[in-house]
Amino acid sequence: MDLRLAGRVAVVTGASKGIGLAVVRTLLAEGARVVAASRKSSAELDALAGAALLHVPVDLMDPGAPGDMVARAVEEFGGLDILVNNAGGPPPGVALPRFSFLAPTDDDWREMFEFNLFAVVRAIRAAIPPMLARGGGAIVNISSGMARQPAPMNVDYTAAKAGLTALSKALSEEYAPQGIRVNTVTPGAVRTAWWTEDGGAADIIAAQAGSDRDTVLSTLAPQMMNMSTGRLVEPQEVADMIVLLASPRSASTTGAEFVVDGGSLKAV
């Protein structure tokens, strides 16, 4: 299927690894021009280098960074059609999961909302004018299954992502008549660095459960998350949904939420 993305300009945050990297790779394959925003690049992102890709190093904890990355897209490629707010999860230097409501401090809460909600607000605020100048666009915000199915862990993250899901709905109502579609993709547990890196979620859960990282990734995590597929989601599986929503093929889809979680959420 031709997704009709050739020549369109996209900004993707958290673009150096995981879901963001898969989104960048897929958009490029569809002929889009991409600003890949992340704190630093990676060997995998560098391997995609070419005229259609610009890496912009950004620290989204800096209030000015979202506006700067959008400005670079307009400067380099002449406008903006797509914004994928993928960056999220633990703020820089933070390891999750954290257990219990009493674990995060006020500063922890501020950092979590800064990274997972306020940075998105700023990116969208910067993206709307250039999108309107081109007659519309597509915004895809990446939430979390925890926003739909809270648990006694990561309560600050859960609240921030729930806010992001609500934000997407409100924006879709305001801007759909002006040609900007806003949708949400809600992943479950995805095999990304959050889980797999040293000191990441798999190691933390393994220490709590008296297990090991490989067992957590292959068995315990899917069981904990009640995943019908029995395995973690792969980043490309989430990226495929994101890119479809960014495409004009989804021209009548706005204000929607698409769950990619291996069947974790059971509610009707």
Side-chain angles (χ1 to χ4, degrees):
M1 179 189 294
D2 178 9
L3 294 182
R4 293 160 44 192
L5 289 169
R8 295 182 184 266
V9 180
V11 169
V12 181
T13 66
S16 64
K17 55 188 177 182
I19 296 170
L21 178 66
V23 171
V24 170
R25 185 182 291 117
T26 306
L27 286 170
L28 290 172
E30 292 292 330
R33 295 171 290 172
V34 182
V35 169
S38 60
R39 288 171 62 86
K40 57 185 179 180
S41 189
S42 64
E44 294 82 2
L45 183 59
D46 291 343
L48 302 175
L53 176 65
L54 173 68
H55 176 249
V56 176
V58 295
D59 179 359
L60 292 175
M61 301 294 282
D62 175 0
D68 290 343
M69 73 184 181
V70 170
R72 288 295 305 278
V74 174
E75 175 186 348
E76 184 75 13
F77 296 126
L80 181 64
D81 303 294
I82 298 162
L83 173 64
V84 178
N85 286 304
N86 165 71
V94 174
L96 295 180
R98 280 193 289 238
F99 301 96
S100 173
F101 167 72
L102 297 178
T105 65
D106 281 1
D107 286 341
D108 293 328
W109 277 86
R110 291 188 190 98
E111 288 184 352
M112 192 65 71
F113 270 68
E114 190 72 39
F115 190 48
N116 287 279
L117 183 57
F118 299 154
V120 174
V121 169
R122 294 174 184 128
I124 294 172
R125 187 185 292 138
I128 284 174
M131 285 186 175
L132 291 176
R134 285 163 80 93
I139 298 171
V140 185
N141 295 325
I142 313 308
S143 186
S144 166
M146 296 195 76
R148 293 277 305 276
Q149 185 62 55
M153 64 175 69
N154 301 336
V155 62
D156 48 347
Y157 174 73
T158 296
K161 286 298 192 181
L164 177 58
T165 300
L167 171 69
S168 301
K169 291 279 190 180
L171 289 170
S172 71
E173 282 294 293
E174 180 173 357
Y175 287 100
Q178 300 174 67
I180 297 177
R181 298 181 297 107
V182 186
N183 292 292
T184 305
V185 172
T186 296
V190 183
R191 188 181 289 273
T192 63
W194 178 357
W195 282 90
T196 61
E197 67 187 359
D198 288 344
D203 286 343
I204 294 171
I205 292 172
Q208 287 279 330
S211 184
D212 60 83
R213 179 193 301 186
D214 291 342
T215 301
V216 169
L217 292 171
S218 66
T219 306
L220 288 184
Q223 289 176 348
M224 288 171 53
M225 304 293 180
N226 202 16
M227 301 177 78
S228 301
T229 57
R231 63 171 177 84
L232 298 185
V233 179
E234 294 299 327
Q236 187 63 52
E237 295 169 331
V238 185
D240 289 342
M241 179 59 71
I242 294 168
V243 175
L244 179 60
L245 289 171
S247 162
R249 291 282 188 177
S250 300
S252 288
T253 304
T254 191
E257 179 188 8
F258 291 85
V259 178
V260 186
D261 70 349
S264 289
L265 293 174
K266 312 295 186 187
V268 175

